[in-house]
Each structure stands twice: as C-alpha cells, then as structure tokens.
Amino acid sequence: MDALDLARWQFGVTTVYHFLFVPLTIGLGVFVAGSQTAWHRTGKEHYLRLTKFFGKLFLINFAMGVVTGIVQEFQFGMNWSEYSTFVGDVFGAPLAMEALLAFFMESTFLGLWIFGWERLPKRVHLACIWAAAIGSNLSAYFILAANAWMKHPVGYEVVDGRARMTDLWAVLTNSTALAQVPHVIGAAFIVAGGFVLAVSCWWLLRTRDGMWRGAARAALVMTAVAGLVVAGSGDLSGKLAYEQQPMKLASAEGLERDTAGAGFTLVPGIEIPKVLSFLSAGDFDATVQGTEDVQRRLEEKFGPGDYRPDQSVVFWSYRVMLAFGLSTVGLSVLGLWLTRRRRPMPRLLARLFVLALPLPLLAVIAGWLFSEIGRQPWTVAGELLTAASVSPGVSLTEVALSLTLFTLLYGGLAVAEAVLLVRHVRRGPEEPAPAEVPAERLEPSLMY
Amino acid sequence: MIDLWFLVIAFLWTGYFVLEGFDFGVGMLAPFVGGDDDEQRQSLQTIGPVWDGNEVWLITAVGAMFAAFPAWYSGLLSSFYLPVVLVLAGLIVRGVGLEWRGKVANPAWCDLGIVVGSALPAFLWGAIFADLLLDGALPALLGGAFTLVLSLLHGAVFLALRTEGRVRRRARVAALATGAVALPLAVVALSTLASVSGAATVPALAAMAALAAAAALIWRRREGWAFTATAAGIALTSAAVFLRLKQAPLPGLTLAEAASAPYTLTMLTWIGLITLPFVLAYQAWTYWVFRKRVALPR
C-alpha cells in the first residue's frame, strides 16, 4: 500500500459518494420545477403542496451534493498534481466554465427560490427554480466533457510534456462526451424518478389522497422516457468504445482474443452468439478485439507494462449496471401499463416500487465504477498513466489522514441525511393553509 | 494575457474573501448575538439566500487557476495538503449545517457545524497565504488569527447592517470588540507583509486605514459605511497579498512557467467576458431583493 493506492481509494470513495447526491439534484430539481409550473398554470393547491414537499427533500439532498462537490474540484490539485499540471490547459477549461456558467446560476437562483416565496412575483419565482435546475444540468455537461476527454482525448497536442489545447470546440463536442451526457443525465432522471415513485407509493399505501397517484404517474413517465434515452445513448457509448476504448469493451465481456462474430456473455457460461459484434459494430460478423491481443498491441506501442484494468471489477460492474438499470426501467414501464387510463396502482406494485428505491442508485454507482476502472491504467488514455499522475510531494500519512477524515465525515453525514429524509417523507406535505396570509408569513422559518 | 488572467484570479479570490468573509463572521457569531433560537435564526437568515452563491466565488477562483495556471493550482493545493483538507472539512460541515438547521429536530449539531465550519476556513486561508508569502509557523499563525478576527469584524458589521432589534445592538457591540482586536493585529500582520514586499506597501497601509475607519464608523452607528470600510479593508489586504504573489505565485515558480498556452487563455477570456457580467448582475440583484433588514421570525 503506498500513497498512490490510497489516493485512488480516496478519489473513488469521494467521487462515488458525491454521485449519490448529484443524480437526485439533477432530476429532482426538474421535477420540482415541473410541479411548480403545473401549480402556476392550473392554480391547483395539490401541485403547490407537491412542490414544497419535494422541494424540501430536494434541498436536504442538494446541500450534500454541493459540499461534496467542492472536494472533487480541489482533489485534482491536492492528490493528482502531476495529472493537473499535465492536463490543466485542456481539462481546466470545462471546469472553469462549469463554475462560471453553471454553479453560479444554480446556487444564486436556488437561494432566491428558497427565500423568495413571498418576496418575488410568482413568475419570477418560478423562473428561479428553472434557472437553478438548468444550472445543475449544465454543470453535468461540462464535467462530463472534461471526464470524456480523459478516455478519448481530442483537440490537443503535447508540447514540453504538457497537453496544450488546440481546439476548445472539439473538446466540448467530443463524441465520447456527446454519448455520455445523455446517458448520465438520463440515469439521473431515472434515479430521481425512482425516488419520487418510492415516496409517492409509500404514501399511496397509507392515504387515499389522489395527489400521490398523480405524482407516481409523473415519476413513471419520467423514468420510462429517461430509460429510453439511457438505453439509446448506452448503445452509442458501446459503439464508440468499440472504436475508442477496445480494452474496456473487451474487459467488460471477458473476451481474451480478437474474435469475429463475438457473442455477448450474459453471465459466465451463458452466451448469446454474435450479439456483441452486432452491438459493437452493427455487423454480426465484425471482429471485436480481445484483452490479450490489445495488451500485446499496447506493449508494442508504449513499451512493457500491464495495460489491462481489473478484469473482474469491470466485468461485474458492467453487468450490475445493466441488470439494475434495465429492471428499474422495466418496472416503470409495467407500472405505466397497469395504471393506464385512471386505473389505481396495485398495492403489490406500490410495495415493489418502495423496495426498488436503491436499484437505480446501485446501477449508477456500478456504471461509474465500470467507466472509470475500465479506463485504467490510464488517467488520460494513451498519454498519461495513473501511476504517473499522483502528487509526488504528498506522503502516505497525509493521504491516510485525509482519507480517514473524509470517510468518517461522509459516513456520519450519510446516516444523518438518511434519517432526515425519512423523517420528512413520513411527515408528509403540509396541509393546505386555511388562509393565504398566515401561510406566507410562516414561509422563511419553514424553509430555513 | 498572463497578467490579465492573474488579475482575474486575484479578483475572484478577493471577491471570495469579501463575500464569504461576512458569511464566516455571521456563522461564528450567530449563537452569540442570538439570545434564543429565533434570534439565532434571524442572524443566519441574513446570509441564508447568498452564502451558497458566495462560495461559488471560491470554486470559480480555483477552477480558473486550474485552467489558466495549472502548475500554480496543483502546486498550491498539494503543498498545503492537510490545511486544505481541513478547509474542505470546514466547508462541508458549515454548508450542511446551514441547509439542515431548519429541518432537524435538534439544531445544536448544526450550530456546532456552522461555528466550526466557519472558523476553520476563516483561520486557515489566512494561515495558508501567510505561510506561502512568509514561510514559517509564526507568520502562518499571525495570518490566520488576522483573517479570523477580520471575518468576525466583517460579519458583525454585516449583522448590524442587516438586522433589527436586539441582534442589531449585540452585533454592534461585537463589532466594536472585534474591531479593538483586529486593529492591532492588522498593524502587525500588514506591516510584516509590507516589509517583505515594496509593492504591497500602499494597499497594506490603505487596508489599515480602512479598518480604522470601519471602527470609527461603527462607533458612530454608520453601519452601511462601516460595512463598505471592512469590505475595502479585506479587498486591500487581498490586493497586497496578490501583488506580492505576482512575482512568485509559489516559491521557485513564475507566472509564465505556470501558465496555460495563449490559445486556452484567449478562449477563457472570451468566455469570461461573456458570462461574468451576467453573474455579477444576478448576484447583485439577489442582494437587492433581500435588501430589507431581517426581522425576528414570528
């Protein structure tokens, strides 16, 4: 165990943890904005109650996303100074744009929304939650453009041992990013949809309030549509990986040798003939590269070394992502069908949706593990190895201390967040206020 | 182009110190100027709508450093590894405390998070920059103490300006008390800085004058002007620091060595020119929307 291993663990732990909160921020923000819009359009009280109820859950979660996000931005410099110096010219630009274009908008307008209920005109107040939600989604685009560049670097040249950007547009329209952005944002909407669905079904099992059926239906639509987007962009990502990241694709399938007409392995031992070739290249007889042959070619190009990522982690995380992601989407399509044309939600199904709450989150975590461990041993594919990226001046003790501190802090906060969310879900939305004035006056203390 | 981007980064850090300075001060003072939970909530509500937007100044400053001066960004953060870890831990517990305080059964944990999470970065940023400039434990301690007290003063003046009733009166007393500590500290800290850097002398002297004026203005209950003066004091201190850093952002590193290539800097300049005016405008608008003094929650 050396400083490099611990720095990798720290990056993994803090990033996965950060991404427990991000999808809810991205998807739930739009859901809250949507229900406030419905209230604005129709004036129906229950839309306002939904807005405030899910708004509060959104805020509890949002705080965690923000504070754990700062760690991410700092960590590149703290633990990966060699990487940062090498890539800053290219990689820093989308990060700076993320802060300028997205984070300012998100945080400023969210502050206006929280405290602006009685101070802003209704339309302006509605615009604030939309601006915040758009800001969250924009930030996802920029950070994913930066992330995609690590796997498929474009628009740069290496001068004096540092990457120099030659084309910002190429970086921002990297094919890898354009496939990854809808995939990740779609996944975020599935997580948020699953969350709204679980909460609404929990209440459906306990009350007769028709509002929860409406919320559950909206969440089902959101999850099903996002599911289509995720499946489509996932397919596209697979085809791009075939061209750009052959080692990752081969590792995902446990394919050792270059194979024409390669089959798709469901689980070890069960293989569907030729499907991998078809999914990768649109041709049942196309040759898919295998790990051992890619390894040989990479050794010829870059010299001796092991260029294979951890095979079992990549293989299984890919399957967990597919299984949990597809089952969430499948359940939501089933739910849409069974509740069609004002049919009530079957109680068994409602129970199932409550229990299915963790599925999309597990799929998202597995997806990130697959994507980033599958990139190893590189930080920047073909340019910089992870082992050469770490900060040379940061000692094992220092990383051990910070990893311990972050883990303890994050663990404690996760428990607190879960308790807080459960309590507010159980408490439910506020009853409609008897008169306008007292309710308005109560607002700041309720929201803060 | 390199000078311009150094200026942009200095501006972003300065904006961060001025804006988060009072957030930190209010965070530390809230339990003390608020006699009961209502008054404490009244105090925290002065920063409620804005603290998160203010924190983005830091994220943008650091992001801009990453893009424009990668070697400076990575050198600074990796060489001050443990202090930066503590800054982050502070920002985490402060942010969560502020957002969760109104939603938990017992806010005591949140209050602890807000106080500790405001004090840690308020102290550590001063310590980090002092150590960077003057290299040593004593200057770091002095710099940290200075920025901690400066944040307290700035926050107390902000509270006096933005609240009414008992909290406003107590905030004034707190401002006078912290002012009495801040002034001698300012003289020692800023003259130490001026002694190693000729360029920093003028802003350092001006910062001292601004802080002295702030103390006098709060005594005469001119809260708006007093806040202007503490903001100027912090901005001028930051200017003195960055004038010194311009010669060597890190020991043994020049700006030109640390900088990104002209193409990147040009692109960043266009993006900054287009977006920054909007950011400044809507942030200013937030302060305008919430300009009314915060009363006790009923």
Side-chain angles (χ1 to χ4, degrees), chain A residues 60 70 73 76-77 79 85 89 92 101 104-105 107-108 115 119 162 164-165 167-168 402 420 423-424 445 448, chain B residues 41 52 55-56 59-60 63 67 73-74 81 100 102-103 105 257 259-261 263-264 275 282-283 286 290:
Chain A
I60 293 170
I70 310 174
E73 194 203 32
F76 296 114
N79 294 92
T85 311
D89 199 306
L101 281 152
F104 267 125
M105 188 155 100
S107 55
T108 309
F115 289 87
R119 231 162 284 186
R162 277 165 69 176
R164 296 277 186 206
M165 184 153 65
D167 189 349
L168 176 63
S402 61
L420 207 52
R423 180 183 303 152
H424 281 273
S445 51
Y448 197 53
Chain B
R41 231 162 48 194
D52 194 9
E55 195 170 83
V56 179
I59 299 173
T60 311
Y73 158 83
S74 56
Y81 188 80
W100 287 0
K103 304 183 182 71
E257 289 162 0
S260 288
Y263 174 81
T264 299
T275 53
Y282 62 64
Q283 281 219 328
T286 311
F290 299 104

Side-chain angles (χ1 to χ4, degrees), chain A residues 52-288:
Chain A
K52 292 200 172 177
F53 174 66
F54 282 108
K56 193 171 276 181
L57 300 177
F58 169 77
L59 290 176
I60 293 170
N61 173 75
F62 180 82
M64 290 295 286
V66 168
V67 296
T68 54
I70 310 174
V71 176
Q72 296 311 105
E73 194 203 32
F74 278 62
Q75 211 170 176
F76 296 114
M78 292 162 66
N79 294 92
W80 305 97
S81 68
E82 292 295 306
Y83 167 81
S84 304
T85 311
F86 178 80
V87 302
D89 199 306
V90 192
F91 187 87
L95 256 66
M97 291 170 79
E98 184 187 26
L100 263 174
L101 281 152
F103 287 153
F104 267 125
M105 188 155 100
E106 181 185 34
S107 55
T108 309
F109 285 103
L110 194 64
L112 278 160
W113 183 73
I114 301 171
F115 289 87
W117 279 94
E118 79 269 41
R119 231 162 284 186
L120 292 169
K122 275 185 181 173
R123 293 174 80 107
V124 179
H125 186 248
L126 177 65
C128 285
I129 186 69
W130 276 110
I134 292 169
S136 303
N137 281 272
L138 261 183
S139 76
Y141 165 70
F142 286 114
I143 194 64
L144 290 171
N147 173 261
W149 189 84
M150 299 168 75
K151 301 165 198 160
H152 180 235
V154 290
Y156 75 108
E157 58 186 4
V158 176
V159 182
D160 301 332
R162 277 165 69 176
R164 296 277 186 206
M165 184 153 65
T166 54
D167 189 349
L168 176 63
W169 187 245
V171 173
L172 294 178
T173 58
N174 187 346
S175 55
T176 317
L178 295 184
Q180 194 173 331
V181 169
H183 195 65
V184 173
I185 291 183
F189 277 92
I190 295 180
V191 172
F195 178 80
V196 174
L197 188 59
V199 171
S200 304
C201 285
W202 192 86
W203 274 102
L204 262 180
L205 291 167
R206 281 160 185 76
T207 62
R208 299 182 154 276
D209 196 337
M211 157 176 117
W212 295 115
R213 190 187 171 280
R217 282 279 299 179
L220 284 169
V221 172
M222 189 156 126
T223 312
V225 172
L228 279 179
V229 174
V230 170
S233 54
D235 177 56
L236 194 58
S237 284
K239 292 188 164 55
L240 287 171
Y242 172 70
E243 291 163 17
Q244 299 165 353
Q245 304 178 74
M247 183 60 102
K248 186 191 278 182
L249 186 70
S251 305
E253 289 303 324
L255 189 70
E256 291 185 356
R257 293 287 165 201
D258 295 357
T259 313
F264 183 87
T265 308
L266 281 181
V267 285
I270 305 177
E271 194 182 291
I272 317 173
K274 299 206 176 204
V275 167
L276 178 61
S277 286
F278 179 71
L279 285 176
S280 308
D283 172 2
F284 284 106
D285 296 315
T287 301
V288 179

Side-chain angles (χ1 to χ4, degrees), chain A residues 157-419:
Chain A
E157 58 186 4
V158 176
V159 182
D160 301 332
R162 277 165 69 176
R164 296 277 186 206
M165 184 153 65
T166 54
D167 189 349
L168 176 63
W169 187 245
V171 173
L172 294 178
T173 58
N174 187 346
S175 55
T176 317
L178 295 184
Q180 194 173 331
V181 169
H183 195 65
V184 173
I185 291 183
F189 277 92
I190 295 180
V191 172
F195 178 80
V196 174
L197 188 59
V199 171
S200 304
C201 285
W202 192 86
W203 274 102
L204 262 180
L205 291 167
R206 281 160 185 76
T207 62
R208 299 182 154 276
D209 196 337
M211 157 176 117
W212 295 115
R213 190 187 171 280
R217 282 279 299 179
L220 284 169
V221 172
M222 189 156 126
T223 312
V225 172
L228 279 179
V229 174
V230 170
S233 54
D235 177 56
L236 194 58
S237 284
K239 292 188 164 55
L240 287 171
Y242 172 70
E243 291 163 17
Q244 299 165 353
Q245 304 178 74
M247 183 60 102
K248 186 191 278 182
L249 186 70
S251 305
E253 289 303 324
L255 189 70
E256 291 185 356
R257 293 287 165 201
D258 295 357
T259 313
F264 183 87
T265 308
L266 281 181
V267 285
I270 305 177
E271 194 182 291
I272 317 173
K274 299 206 176 204
V275 167
L276 178 61
S277 286
F278 179 71
L279 285 176
S280 308
D283 172 2
F284 284 106
D285 296 315
T287 301
V288 179
Q289 301 182 52
T291 47
E292 300 313 303
D293 290 308
V294 182
Q295 164 72 17
R296 185 172 41 78
R297 284 189 280 273
L298 287 173
E299 276 192 29
E300 280 164 20
K301 193 169 172 191
F302 297 108
D306 189 353
Y307 298 97
R308 287 163 297 199
D310 188 317
Q311 294 295 300
S312 60
V313 174
V314 176
F315 182 86
W316 284 110
S317 58
Y318 180 64
R319 269 148 197 81
V320 170
M321 171 185 81
L322 277 179
F324 288 175
L326 287 174
S327 55
T328 308
V329 177
L331 273 178
S332 66
V333 172
L334 179 71
L336 272 179
W337 173 250
L338 291 176
T339 58
R340 72 190 184 279
R341 293 202 210 121
R342 301 185 176 275
R343 267 161 236 236
M345 172 87 69
R347 289 186 72 82
L348 189 65
L349 193 68
R351 282 208 192 93
L352 204 59
F353 282 138
V354 175
L355 291 176
L357 175 67
L359 287 187
L361 261 182
L362 290 172
V364 164
I365 293 171
W368 274 117
L369 292 180
F370 164 62
S371 178
E372 302 310 304
I373 293 178
R375 158 173 57 79
Q376 301 299 333
W378 305 97
T379 45
V380 183
E383 294 288 358
L384 190 69
L385 289 165
T386 307
S389 303
V390 76
S391 298
V394 176
S395 69
L396 177 66
T397 320
E398 286 176 307
V399 191
L401 280 173
S402 61
L403 177 58
T404 312
L405 180 69
F406 283 134
T407 308
L408 291 177
L409 193 59
Y410 279 13
L413 288 175
V415 174
E417 149 125 353
V419 169

Side-chain angles (χ1 to χ4, degrees), chain B residues 162-219:
Chain B
R162 296 282 291 107
T163 57
E164 54 184 45
R166 276 201 302 238
V167 170
R168 183 182 178 184
R169 285 196 292 280
R170 290 200 202 103
R172 178 172 173 269
V173 176
L176 289 171
T178 47
V181 185
L183 271 178
L185 261 178
V187 172
V188 180
L190 289 167
S191 50
T192 314
L193 175 58
S195 70
V196 295
S197 165
T201 309
V202 176
L205 285 174
M208 285 185 228
L211 292 176
L217 285 161
I218 196 75
W219 177 255

Side-chain angles (χ1 to χ4, degrees), chain B residues 67-110:
Chain B
F69 301 100
W72 186 20
Y73 158 83
S74 56
L76 182 71
L77 294 182
S78 59
S79 53
F80 289 95
Y81 188 80
L82 288 178
V84 172
V85 168
L86 290 177
V87 167
L88 292 173
L91 293 179
I92 289 171
V93 293
R94 179 188 76 124
V96 170
L98 282 169
E99 286 284 359
W100 287 0
R101 192 180 188 282
K103 304 183 182 71
V104 293
N106 176 11
W109 280 100
C110 289

Side-chain angles (χ1 to χ4, degrees), chain B residues 43-67:
Chain B
S43 315
L44 289 174
Q45 215 179 311
T46 60
I47 58 168
V50 295
W51 71 268
D52 194 9
N54 293 343
E55 195 170 83
V56 179
W57 282 77
L58 172 69
I59 299 173
T60 311
V62 172
M65 272 171 86
F66 195 175

